[in-house]
Amino acid sequence: MDHRLFQHEELYARPRSRINYFAWTVAILLLTGFTLAAWLGSFYIFDQPERPDSYRILQRLHKIELPKRFELTAAPAGEFLNAKQLYDRYVEMGSAELAKTNAELARNYIRNYFQVRGLVPYVIGQFAIMEARELEPNDVFTSGMVALTNAVDRGELLMEHVYPAETATVPLMKQTLSVGLEIKLERTHDLSAVIHAERLVDGRIMITAIPLLYGTYTVTRGPGTFRLAPPLNLNLAAGWPLLKEQPRRKAELHYAMYRRSAGAGDQVPVAAGLAPSGTPPPAQNELVRIEPAKPVETPVQAPLTTAKGVAKTTPRLKGAKLAKNQKPTPAPKPSPAPTQPLIVEKPATPEVAAATTGGPTPAPKPLATRPPIVAATPAAPVVALASPPPIATATPVPVLPAQPVPPDASGNALASTAGGGTWKTFPPGRMPLGRLVATGDLNDLADRGTTGERVYLRGQFVVNFSDANRAVLRPRTKLTDTVLHFGAGSSTRIIVEFPAGYRPPPQGAVVSRDEARPYEITEVRKLEDGKLNVFVREIMQP
């Protein structure tokens, strides 16, 4: 083989290039730095949505959820703190700890309380509105109202309560949220979460709270209701709190002049360190949240007739199968709604009428000619709010001035704490949330009291006495007719107070009240002989 051919090829071959290891090293380092920066930047953006720039980027990436409306029974777990507890918690924090806490509070709210560490702080107590103004686009919340309030029993704590709502609702909110109006937040049906805390120059603490239920509000003495709505956008660049130092000082000055002109003087001091002593007085007018009661499943009772012609009621649940030889009983046709559905009245039996009126009554018609009466009564007591038992606070239940009550059928004079006159009434099923009790729970209620919560009474009663604006009722049971026939009486008396314009039921009538139309209990008194006087008032609209 001729080696000269290989030598010729080597002369014309392309020279082999050298690898630039330095350039490759620089490129790899740049890519690594870019990857690390993107990784850290994603943690910075996604883990800190409370920062204005992070929130803006997440909005453009559609990675942020709008604040949602919570249900009372599905709200995030939290702790209920009064004014003193809130002040003691945030006044002890240093600047760094308070800034970290505020970042966590705002982050939890923006994330709709997903994977919350610890418990959400909720506000309870009684607050008075010092100033209320409309939210603007340069605020954190861009639509609705914000009210600057002062704790009634703790002058060092201020609270700006945010009411986000649609623009069309703002005019009615301006009329409702007036200066001096008191806001009572209760753990039974209010969930106002703290989303920011600020230490003022004079040592006071101002918190920012927002109701997570976004419910419907009204005042106890005033027309109209307004409904809140979750905000569609947050302008975090506006900064916290919503009311800056100058507007806040101006609002406090106006409130001090308002109290001086109203004659309140120094009953509720505004300056730091001057907390009022004693229990706060009952509010003349309060802002309360209302919510329609949810329907309760009750068994359907089908009337049956025995061989002797006596009507009986047998419970028959929906979806239940009939026996092989049993014929289905047609359901009774619903009767048209009465013009005044305030009280469900039925004619009393001869024994009840004789015991209450003292004279004989005409003989009733045969049962075969009268339509059977179907009674739908829940088998177990119904609770209007599924929540833990409330903690007793120092805030008393506001009641109206006391008026004397006429003697009942037994001749004993009764003193009522439910004042006659006017108070706010509600449509059926739309009263403020509260605890629903039956007559069997009244003894326990008399021992421990109402503990500052709303308590409603349901059941079936017989009218023993009726007057212009009040009536005395007795609980009706299976043995009521026999007991009244022999002259004895029930150990429980229900004294009902009716507002002006209402007509009490006549003597001897049977009154049925369910979870949609209960009585509101104002006081339960246990006498020395063990008998109970239960003072209630009518709060349902006719």
Side-chain angles (χ1 to χ4, degrees):
M1 182 177 292
D2 192 357
H3 295 282
R4 290 178 296 179
L5 295 175
F6 294 99
Q7 294 176 357
H8 182 72
E9 291 179 357
E10 290 177 359
L11 293 175
Y12 291 96
R14 179 178 296 179
R16 203 179 277 182
S17 61
R18 299 179 59 183
I19 300 175
N20 193 345
Y21 291 100
F22 178 76
W24 277 106
T25 302
V26 172
I28 291 175
L29 289 177
L30 289 176
L31 291 175
T32 304
F34 178 78
T35 304
L36 185 62
W39 182 57
L40 294 178
S42 64
F43 273 99
Y44 176 85
I45 294 173
F46 283 91
D47 283 0
Q48 298 179 348
E50 70 277 2
R51 296 180 177 270
D53 50 354
S54 301
Y55 186 82
R56 194 181 306 111
I57 293 175
L58 292 175
Q59 272 190 322
R60 292 180 179 178
L61 297 177
H62 302 285
K63 296 297 183 181
I64 198 75
E65 293 183 0
L66 297 177
K68 69 176 183 179
R69 188 193 307 270
F70 285 92
E71 295 292 338
L72 186 62
T73 56
E79 53 183 341
F80 295 85
L81 306 175
N82 56 26
K84 182 180 182 303
Q85 294 170 333
L86 289 169
Y87 177 80
D88 295 341
R89 166 173 295 190
Y90 295 112
V91 77
E92 297 177 355
M93 294 184 180
S95 300
E97 185 181 3
L98 187 60
K100 181 180 178 181
T101 302
N102 286 330
E104 186 176 0
L105 291 174
R107 186 185 311 130
N108 291 336
Y109 175 73
I110 294 173
R111 289 179 173 177
N112 287 319
Y113 296 92
F114 179 71
Q115 294 181 350
V116 178
R117 298 178 182 178
L119 300 175
V120 179
Y122 295 115
V123 185
I124 58 174
Q126 198 169 354
F127 298 83
I129 294 182
M130 305 170 62
E131 181 76 11
R133 71 168 179 87
E134 182 181 357
L135 294 172
E136 300 175 352
N138 56 351
D139 290 319
V140 177
F141 300 89
T142 57
S143 178
M145 294 279 292
V146 57
L148 177 63
T149 65
N150 181 233
V152 174
D153 56 347
R154 192 74 180 185
E156 300 95 336
L157 183 73
L158 303 179
M159 179 184 67
E160 49 180 13
H161 207 229
V162 187
Y163 297 94
E166 299 178 355
T167 307
T169 315
V170 173
L172 180 59
M173 297 174 66
K174 289 182 178 179
Q175 300 177 6
T176 306
L177 301 176
S178 58
V179 178
L181 180 68
E182 292 196 359
I183 302 173
K184 188 176 182 181
L185 302 178
E186 300 177 348
R187 62 173 298 168
T188 53
H189 58 276
D190 288 302
L191 292 178
S192 292
V194 179
I195 56 178
H196 185 79
E198 187 85 5
R199 181 186 290 105
L200 304 181
V201 180
D202 53 8
R204 290 180 295 169
I205 296 295
M206 183 171 70
I207 61 174
T208 305
I210 185 170
L212 301 183
L213 303 179
Y214 302 100
T216 303
Y217 288 83
T218 186
V219 290
T220 53
R221 294 186 180 181
T225 59
F226 61 87
R227 183 172 179 82
L228 306 184
L232 300 178
N233 184 31
L234 297 178
N235 181 21
L236 297 179
W240 306 90
L242 276 69
L243 295 172
K244 304 302 187 288
E245 183 177 1
Q246 292 298 330
R248 176 181 55 79
R249 289 182 179 273
K250 186 178 179 180
E252 290 179 351
L253 180 60
H254 288 173
Y255 183 66
M257 296 175 61
Y258 163 78
R259 293 198 63 83
R260 256 188 246 107
S261 62
D266 300 328
Q267 291 181 11
V268 182
V270 181
L274 298 177
S277 60
T279 304
Q284 297 296 330
N285 197 11
E286 286 183 348
L287 181 71
V288 294
R289 188 180 69 86
I290 58 176
E291 184 174 336
K294 296 182 179 180
V296 181
E297 290 290 339
T298 56
V300 179
Q301 309 236 350
L304 297 177
T305 304
T306 60
K308 296 182 179 181
V310 180
K312 292 185 178 181
T313 57
T314 304
R316 180 167 59 86
L317 299 179
K318 296 181 180 179
K321 296 183 179 180
L322 299 175
K324 184 176 180 181
N325 298 327
Q326 182 181 359
K327 296 182 180 180
T329 304
K333 296 182 180 180
S335 59
T339 57
Q340 293 184 352
L342 175 63
I343 299 172
V344 181
E345 299 182 3
K346 294 182 294 184
T349 57
E351 292 80 4
V352 175
T356 55
T357 60
T361 57
K365 297 181 180 180
L367 293 175
T369 62
R370 294 187 297 174
I373 299 175
V374 180
T377 304
V382 182
V383 179
L385 175 62
S387 64
I391 300 176
T393 61
T395 306
V397 180
V399 295
L400 297 176
Q403 289 188 0
V405 180
D408 66 345
S410 60
N412 298 325
L414 303 176
S416 172
T417 59
T422 59
W423 52 81
K424 190 168 185 60
T425 57
F426 306 93
R430 296 185 64 88
M431 62 282 186
L433 293 179
R435 189 160 62 94
L436 191 66
V437 299
T439 54
D441 305 322
L442 294 175
N443 276 300
D444 179 64
L445 193 64
D447 295 334
R448 66 180 184 85
T450 59
T451 64
E453 63 175 336
R454 288 186 177 87
V455 185
Y456 300 112
L457 177 65
R458 67 173 177 89
Q460 198 172 35
F461 313 96
V462 178
V463 180
N464 261 21
F465 178 84
S466 181
D467 194 9
N469 66 335
R470 56 183 57 87
V472 179
L473 313 181
R474 300 278 190 178
R476 188 187 186 194
T477 60
K478 295 180 179 180
L479 302 178
T480 302
D481 299 345
T482 305
V483 171
L484 293 178
H485 178 70
F486 286 102
S490 173
S491 61
T492 303
R493 289 180 291 185
I494 315 295
I495 299 95
V496 187
E497 197 84 10
F498 294 91
Y502 279 61
R503 184 177 181 182
Q507 185 175 0
V510 177
V511 180
S512 298
R513 307 307 290 259
D514 55 7
E515 62 275 359
R517 306 182 62 85
Y519 290 125
E520 182 182 9
I521 299 178
T522 58
E523 186 184 359
V524 181
R525 297 181 186 176
K526 179 175 286 188
L527 305 180
E528 296 180 357
D529 55 359
K531 295 184 179 181
L532 294 180
N533 286 341
V534 184
F535 299 96
V536 301
R537 62 179 180 178
E538 177 64 80
I539 60 170
M540 309 311 301
Q541 295 179 0

